[in-house]
Amino acid sequence: MYIDANDLDSKVMEADICIIGAGCAGITMAKEFLNTGVKVLLLESGGFEYDDETQSLYEGENVSLHNFDLADTRLRYFGGSTNHWGGMCRPLDEIDLVQRDGVHDVSWPIQFDELVPYYKRAHIVCQLGPYIYDDPYFWEKQPEFSPLLKESDQLRTSLFQFSPPTRFGQVYRDIFKESENIDVILNANVLEVETDEQGKKITSVKAATLRKKYFSVKAKKFVIAMGGMESARLLLLSNKVQKNGLGNANDLVGRYYMDHLDAWAGAIQLIYDMPIKSMYFDLRTHIASFPAAKFGALLTPTLSTLNDNKLSNFRFIISPAKTSKGIDSSKYIAHEMGAGHLPDNLGVHLKNVLSDIESVANVGLKTVFNSQNDFFKVQPFSGKLVSKVTLDLNMEQIPNRNSRVMLSSEKDFFDQNRIKLDWQVTRDDQFAALKAVEILAAECGKYNIGRVFMPDSIKDGEVDFGISSHHIGTTRMADSARTGVVNSDCKVHDIDNLFVSSSSVFPTSGWANPTLTITALALRLADHLKKVL
């Protein structure tokens, strides 16, 4: 059932499992215990709707290279950040879980094959189609899509899927309403995790509402499912016995913070026009084998490409170029000259034509050889064929110990230290972006696809990477407490009954969006807790 923490009669609640955070991970785990003999308390900071006062608890200090507002990248109410996610889903690649040249500090203590059964179950939770991503025979069955670079041994076309997207807080709300063994406590802000005198066992968690009603929860097992930033923050705040925070004897809590690095990577001027239906990002209506599923496609590196070049993983989204400055200026000059007067800002428009001469020449040649409509009337995006495509590069960030979540001296409503984020990008990340675009350019030339135009920022190693708001790595998984915060079962090292379920446990990020892997690991942890209980 649902209970407002402001209406609680008891100051102490008890359960078999206490899950802190009702986002993707927390809701997925809780529903695995429906109609069992296990008593579960699911604590959620917010209610069912967005609330400014609750959301303000996410504010913090950002001293990163990219000064974004920390409260803008996540949501603090039932369903968590699934209330605004876009729905892109794909498993990690097998190589993302193994040690390799170019990506150091890989500490995954599990193998990819162990995750596959949970990925398949996560498909159901995330309302996806069949578990199919890299079947080499898949494309032979698709009459309306022909991948670029199908003969390349450097780059491949990879599938992802669109969840509707699943709003966990809405889709799974009703299943807890009448539950006899699962209680969802709303407006419950967990302030501290309390331990025994040795700091080896969790005894309770301390919580409060914004109306200053305090209570605690005792349980056999505790799961922190508060996301990539707040999970680390709660461990750091819980420092009465372990002075550096729980699980932090080796100063690893909060370290290795990662996000997926996003950058505009230029464009490809195509030698031959490409049908718009062959554009990569959104294939929702073009996959014949599975008409009900919603697929997209990306261009990604092969295993040999990553190993041979010692690179982090990456992907390109390929989209139709709506226009180009050179073509627009050519059309404007022709229109004005045809009307009998000199164009305004002629110098600017001539500069646009010269700087984009290959696009102008490309369209011109196709006009001469009657491969498309009149040059000055061409509208590449609205027609059936595309002459130029743009490139969006999204990359795995190389793990970096110095990129981290810390505690700020600033305090929140409960007089708790807020988050301080120092997100760092290294020269190795910059080099990886350059190398990725160079590989694409070489393959496009080799297979007569077209010419890649690379932005100066990538050439010069000065990319201002955008954020993807995927908070990864701050309680990383590893076999040893010397290299990670949690073990292969997501249990905090050296603490008997404390677990973490979040993208914070990922030692590496791959390029895939994290929600599907978060869900899979939550299902895996739920199975483990069923066994130990």
Side-chain angles (χ1 to χ4, degrees):
M1 70 177 73
Y2 289 99
I3 303 170
D4 187 332
N6 291 297
D7 299 330
L8 286 175
D9 295 326
S10 174
K11 290 188 177 181
V12 179
M13 304 188 72
E14 296 188 6
D16 295 310
I17 302 175
C18 175
I19 302 172
I20 307 166
C24 163
I27 290 174
T28 297
M29 288 195 64
K31 75 186 199 68
E32 285 297 297
F33 291 93
L34 279 167
N35 303 316
T36 67
V38 179
K39 176 66 176 176
V40 177
L41 287 179
L42 177 58
L43 307 183
E44 168 54 44
S45 170
F48 288 133
E49 303 294 337
Y50 177 90
D51 171 75
D52 284 333
E53 192 175 12
T54 301
Q55 185 70 15
S56 70
L57 296 172
Y58 270 157
E59 292 174 0
E61 184 180 359
N62 189 353
V63 296
S64 306
L65 61 97
H66 203 306
N67 190 26
F68 56 92
D69 190 328
L70 300 185
D72 287 347
T73 60
R74 47 220 168 117
L75 291 174
R76 198 172 175 119
Y77 64 101
F78 189 70
S81 294
T82 67
N83 286 299
H84 70 181
W85 75 307
M88 282 184 69
C89 288
R90 182 186 162 89
L92 294 171
D93 288 332
E94 188 169 356
I95 193 174
D96 295 329
L97 277 70
V98 300
Q99 190 69 42
R100 59 199 193 271
D101 291 338
V103 182
H104 48 76
D105 286 329
V106 178
S107 64
W108 285 93
I110 58 177
Q111 296 181 346
F112 180 79
D113 288 347
E114 295 177 56
L115 286 178
V116 171
Y118 295 103
Y119 275 133
K120 291 179 178 178
R121 285 168 56 184
H123 263 230
I124 298 171
V125 179
C126 295
Q127 300 176 300
L128 298 170
Y131 184 81
I132 177 171
Y133 289 97
D134 296 314
D135 178 355
Y137 303 107
F138 178 84
W139 299 113
E140 297 176 8
K141 307 169 187 174
Q142 311 310 321
E144 293 185 324
F145 182 83
S146 179
L148 285 178
L149 302 170
K150 356 183 226 195
E151 299 174 359
S152 172
D153 60 359
Q154 298 291 305
L155 296 168
R156 62 178 185 164
T157 295
S158 296
L159 281 175
F160 66 90
Q161 292 195 44
F162 288 98
S163 171
T166 305
R167 306 294 182 208
F168 280 60
Q170 298 173 24
V171 172
Y172 297 114
R173 183 180 303 180
D174 287 347
I175 67 173
F176 298 120
K177 278 185 179 179
E178 304 301 327
S179 175
E180 295 182 0
N181 68 305
I182 299 176
D183 287 336
V184 181
I185 314 298
L186 301 173
N187 301 309
N189 300 282
V190 173
L191 308 179
E192 183 182 0
V193 180
E194 300 178 313
T195 73
D196 59 14
E197 292 181 359
Q198 292 75 37
K200 297 294 186 181
K201 184 176 182 180
I202 307 306
T203 56
S204 62
V205 296
K206 181 181 176 183
T209 72
L210 288 171
R211 298 181 193 172
K212 291 291 185 81
K213 183 161 188 175
Y214 290 84
F215 65 100
S216 62
V217 176
K218 295 182 177 182
K220 296 175 184 177
K221 307 292 180 184
F222 295 85
V223 180
I224 299 174
M226 299 173 66
M229 292 186 186
E230 292 296 310
S231 294
R233 180 192 179 209
L234 181 59
L235 291 172
L236 293 172
L237 286 171
S238 303
N239 57 8
K240 283 184 179 176
V241 176
Q242 296 186 12
K243 299 304 179 184
N244 293 325
L246 296 178
N248 200 30
N250 294 293
D251 190 26
L252 289 172
V253 173
R255 291 191 181 273
Y256 294 99
Y257 174 84
M258 295 172 283
D259 195 355
H260 287 122
L261 304 176
D262 188 69
W264 177 67
I268 307 174
Q269 182 63 59
L270 300 169
I271 291 178
Y272 302 103
D273 286 354
M274 175 188 291
I276 277 185
K277 285 186 176 180
S278 291
M279 289 300 94
Y280 267 45
F281 181 62
D282 188 346
L283 305 178
R284 296 171 194 237
T285 61
H286 308 317
I287 302 298
S289 306
F290 307 106
K294 299 176 181 178
F295 287 91
L298 307 155
L299 207 58
T300 64
T302 62
L303 178 62
S304 61
T305 299
L306 296 179
N307 284 330
D308 293 347
N309 294 280
K310 300 180 180 180
L311 281 179
S312 50
N313 213 341
F314 62 88
R315 60 91 174 130
F316 288 102
I317 286 179
I318 301 172
S319 304
K322 295 183 178 181
T323 185
S324 82
K325 288 184 179 180
I327 292 173
D328 281 350
S329 288
S330 298
K331 290 163 66 176
Y332 175 73
I333 292 171
H335 178 271
E336 294 298 295
M337 296 288 285
H341 47 76
L342 201 63
D344 294 334
N345 301 316
L346 179 60
V348 172
H349 290 291
L350 288 174
K351 182 179 178 181
N352 288 342
V353 172
L354 292 173
S355 65
D356 194 22
I357 192 63
E358 293 207 20
S359 296
V360 176
N362 181 276
V363 175
L365 285 170
K366 289 171 183 175
T367 302
V368 170
F369 290 101
N370 297 315
S371 62
Q372 63 182 25
N373 294 331
D374 180 74
F375 171 69
F376 296 113
K377 294 180 180 178
V378 66
Q379 296 179 345
F381 185 69
S382 60
K384 293 183 178 180
L385 299 177
V386 178
S387 298
K388 188 174 184 179
V389 295
T390 59
L391 301 168
D392 175 78
L393 173 65
N394 197 274
M395 298 169 49
E396 170 185 22
Q397 185 173 0
I398 297 171
N400 174 13
R401 178 184 172 89
N402 295 320
S403 182
R404 64 189 300 197
V405 165
M406 301 169 282
L407 295 181
S408 171
S409 59
E410 298 175 3
K411 300 294 184 73
D412 66 10
F413 175 84
F414 296 105
D415 201 34
Q416 300 268 84
N417 297 86
R418 291 188 182 276
I419 275 181
K420 180 178 181 179
L421 177 66
D422 184 7
W423 176 46
Q424 298 186 15
V425 175
T426 67
R427 299 301 301 176
D428 288 340
D429 293 313
Q430 296 281 355
F431 169 78
L434 172 62
K435 190 63 181 176
V437 181
E438 286 180 341
I439 290 168
L440 175 60
E443 294 300 283
C444 284
K446 179 180 178 181
Y447 292 100
N448 207 31
I449 299 297
R451 180 172 178 181
V452 172
F453 292 85
M454 185 191 306
D456 290 339
S457 59
I458 291 182
K459 290 180 187 176
D460 300 338
E462 299 294 339
V463 185
D464 182 19
F465 288 109
I467 62 170
S468 299
S469 300
H470 302 157
H471 312 137
I472 298 168
T474 58
T475 66
R476 64 196 333 245
M477 189 189 297
D479 276 329
S480 167
R482 295 190 304 276
T483 54
V485 177
V486 303
N487 68 11
S488 59
D489 293 319
C490 294
K491 184 183 78 67
V492 176
H493 286 291
D494 302 324
I495 298 179
D496 291 342
N497 59 341
L498 181 61
F499 300 80
V500 180
S501 185
S502 162
S503 54
S504 65
V505 306
F506 299 7
T508 57
S509 68
W511 63 259
N513 292 42
T515 304
L516 186 64
T517 302
I518 294 170
T519 307
L521 287 173
L523 291 167
R524 183 173 179 270
L525 177 52
D527 280 2
H528 173 73
L529 291 176
K530 289 174 186 177
K531 290 178 183 178
V532 298
L533 285 171

